[in-house]
Amino acid sequence: MQYRELGNTGLRVSEIGMGCEGFQENGYQMTKTLLDEAERLGINYFDLYASDPQLRSAVGAALAGRREKFYIQSHICSVWKNGQYLRTRNLTEVRAGFAEMLNLLQTDYIDVGMIHYCDAMKDWDCIVENGILDYAVALKQEGKIRHIGLSSHNPVVALKAIETGKIEVLMFSINPVYDLQPPSENVDDLWADETYSNTYVNMDADRERLYEACQRKGVGITVMKAFAGGDLLNAELSPAGVALTAAQCISYCLTRPAVATVLAGAHSVEQLRESAAYESTTDSERDYATALASFPRISWEGHCMYCSHCAPCPMNINIADVTKFLNLALSQTEIPETVREHYKVLAHHGSDCIECGACEARCPFGVKIRENMHSACQVFGY
């Protein structure tokens, strides 16, 4: 298992994480079964959006004696009321729900306290105005959560949230078809058939802006819906009309800026193993670029997807990284110091480009790489 830094949190997390979708199966016995297998596989990060008290109790029991082996991303504002899940912005309910969460999980703290499911700007305003964000800050100061997170499907809302400087982790839906979609306050738009009746060219600008801002600000991204609920793995169900493999979907997510872990849902040990098997896949098995280039009605022409098809460079330039740092720099009026330093420590820079064009001949998206290398040299000075 490979591990990544979760933004600036200091947490080093497995790049394959786990969702909690299958925990309640088999009378909640699947909770321990999946956590046992996760530990064996080296998976140390899981999401717990569910508020079902029995499920949380099962997690607490399964973690007994090994709490420190896992980072828990559990959700504030996800509560259980009248026998069912409820998302609430009522601070009294939020407080009671969090206290119950700690008790059921048999722990004194949550690693990432995730403000649950915010897709509308009015909802974000409510989170601020109702004192929920302040409550999360207070929990962090008390040591009851180590870091503050937010889950969202809307890049505009998510960007406003991280610009407060208080959100350290963003749980966001990322995959090659959702990334085409413009912001919407209705999450159902992401998978509605009619949404994909148009021809798309390149990634939505707001999503790209969000990922780059997270990278720049040190906000770690944990990915949900990497497989679009499984639809991307089935040609008949996929909005793209082409099936991708699990390895291609995971690789796509892990090459986006700021992404630290992909939270793979699992309803069985076998499914969890299939996601973790990504770590032993070859570069060709992870290659999503050729598949993306074949999507009908979809084009990424001229857009760098950080797929590294351009490699190898005869001057050993890591073209994907140079391009990524260039995009991060161009998104600001001034170059952030962190971006400048990351560019500086690269072994080779845009100035090393000899303009042979070999990279452009290999790029499936027709990116003008030589122009990008020249721009990087101008922006960074070498």
Side-chain angles (χ1 to χ4, degrees), residues 306 308 318-327 343 346 373:
Y306 311 128
S308 295
N318 186 325
I319 295 169
D321 280 351
V322 169
T323 306
K324 188 177 294 185
F325 295 136
L326 172 64
N327 290 339
Y343 181 83
L346 291 175
M373 296 302 103

Side-chain angles (χ1 to χ4, degrees), residues 73-98:
Q73 173 182 288
S74 197
H75 291 230
I76 303 170
C77 305
S78 174
V79 301
W80 195 255
K81 191 174 182 180
N82 300 323
Q84 63 182 12
Y85 149 81
L86 176 71
R87 181 189 68 175
T88 183
R89 303 306 186 211
N90 180 300
L91 186 55
T92 300
E93 292 178 340
V94 171
R95 288 178 182 274
F98 184 80

Side-chain angles (χ1 to χ4, degrees), residues 38-328:
E39 182 180 353
R40 190 190 71 80
L41 293 168
I43 294 172
N44 69 355
Y45 195 95
F46 69 92
D47 176 71
L48 189 61
Y49 72 85
S51 54
D52 180 349
Q54 286 184 268
L55 190 152
R56 286 177 170 174
S57 293
V59 172
L63 289 177
R66 54 175 174 177
R67 169 66 182 88
E68 300 301 321
K69 293 184 177 181
F70 291 96
Y71 295 124
I72 305 175
Q73 173 182 288
S74 197
H75 291 230
I76 303 170
C77 305
S78 174
V79 301
W80 195 255
K81 191 174 182 180
N82 300 323
Q84 63 182 12
Y85 149 81
L86 176 71
R87 181 189 68 175
T88 183
R89 303 306 186 211
N90 180 300
L91 186 55
T92 300
E93 292 178 340
V94 171
R95 288 178 182 274
F98 184 80
E100 179 188 64
M101 178 203 302
L102 288 185
N103 181 57
L104 294 175
L105 294 179
Q106 302 178 39
T107 185
D108 296 327
Y109 69 96
I110 300 299
D111 298 284
V112 177
M114 185 69 54
I115 298 172
H116 184 58
Y117 188 11
C118 178
D119 283 353
M121 201 62 76
K122 286 185 178 179
D123 189 28
W124 172 250
D125 292 339
C126 182
I127 287 168
V128 175
E129 293 165 4
N130 285 15
I132 292 169
L133 181 59
D134 288 339
Y135 174 59
V137 171
L139 288 176
K140 181 181 177 182
Q141 291 171 343
E142 295 167 8
K144 293 181 179 179
I145 64 174
R146 298 175 68 183
H147 304 285
I148 301 171
L150 176 83
S151 66
S152 179
H153 304 83
N154 186 327
V156 173
V157 175
L159 183 58
K160 183 174 182 180
I162 69 167
E163 285 176 342
T164 65
K166 296 179 180 178
I167 303 301
E168 302 167 88
V169 179
L170 175 67
M171 184 184 186
F172 200 73
S173 52
I174 299 178
N175 64 55
V177 293
Y178 290 179
D179 272 353
L180 299 166
Q181 295 302 319
S184 172
E185 296 192 351
N186 181 6
V187 67
D188 292 340
D189 288 344
L190 286 175
W191 46 80
D193 290 340
E194 57 270 23
T195 302
Y196 296 92
S197 60
N198 300 318
T199 297
Y200 288 92
V201 179
N202 287 326
M203 181 183 295
D204 173 67
D206 287 305
R207 289 174 178 271
E208 187 169 33
R209 192 175 298 114
L210 171 65
Y211 304 157
E212 292 175 350
C214 287
Q215 178 79 43
R216 190 173 63 251
K217 293 176 178 292
V219 176
I221 298 179
T222 64
V223 176
M224 58 177 162
K225 300 180 174 64
F227 310 135
D231 288 357
L232 282 177
L233 309 180
N234 185 318
E236 294 183 3
L237 298 176
S238 172
V242 175
L244 295 176
T245 67
Q248 288 171 328
C249 292
I250 292 171
S251 181
Y252 175 86
C253 294
L254 290 174
T255 51
R256 300 310 94 193
V259 167
T261 183
V262 175
L263 302 167
H267 294 271
S268 66
V269 166
E270 289 71 25
Q271 287 184 350
L272 188 60
R273 287 173 181 168
E274 287 173 6
S275 294
Y278 170 81
E279 300 296 351
S280 59
T281 54
T282 64
D283 289 343
S284 62
E285 289 171 323
R286 297 181 182 188
D287 173 29
Y288 53 82
T290 304
L292 297 193
S294 71
F295 281 4
R297 305 191 312 279
I298 295 173
S299 172
W300 279 272
E301 186 69 22
H303 189 93
C304 180
M305 301 301 291
Y306 311 128
C307 66
S308 295
H309 260 249
C310 50
C313 167
M315 302 306 293
N316 294 316
I317 301 170
N318 186 325
I319 295 169
D321 280 351
V322 169
T323 306
K324 188 177 294 185
F325 295 136
L326 172 64
N327 290 339
L328 287 170

